[in-house]
Amino acid sequence: KSVFDLFVKLDSYSSAKALDLVNYKKSESLNRNVRRIFSRFWKCFFLRKGYKEKEIGFTIALVAAIYPLISYLKYKNISND
């Protein structure tokens, strides 16, 4: 509905992913998640033709790109507690 809703979903989904990583004891690395930024952006913006949506397509691709990194950072935060 709006860009605000997009970020609310990002927060919700990344928290759920972080909990999954903790519960299933999956090993993640910072390097792997930084690389995912580029591959997810490429997939969302170019392969799925997000560029046709102009600014909103770029925003969606950017949010999709940072999702793994935010999930990883939340996972590390939960793991350290």
Side-chain angles (χ1 to χ4, degrees), residues 72-81:
Y72 171 76
L73 294 173
K74 287 183 178 185
Y75 158 71
K76 291 304 277 185
N77 189 29
I78 293 170
S79 297
N80 291 336
D81 289 342

Side-chain angles (χ1 to χ4, degrees), residues 22-39:
V22 169
N23 292 337
Y24 294 112
K25 296 179 175 66
K26 292 195 174 191
S27 62
E28 289 286 321
S29 71
L30 180 60
N31 290 338
R32 183 176 184 193
N33 284 289
V34 168
R35 283 190 312 235
R36 283 182 179 159
I37 291 172
F38 302 105
S39 63

Side-chain angles (χ1 to χ4, degrees), residues 1-13 53-64 66 70:
K1 295 179 183 179
S2 71
V3 174
F4 177 76
D5 292 332
L6 188 64
F7 286 101
V8 168
K9 282 186 179 183
L10 172 66
D11 182 47
S12 174
Y13 291 167
E53 300 293 326
K54 303 204 179 16
E55 292 89 9
I56 194 67
F58 179 79
T59 305
I60 291 169
L62 190 60
V63 168
I66 62 173
I70 291 175

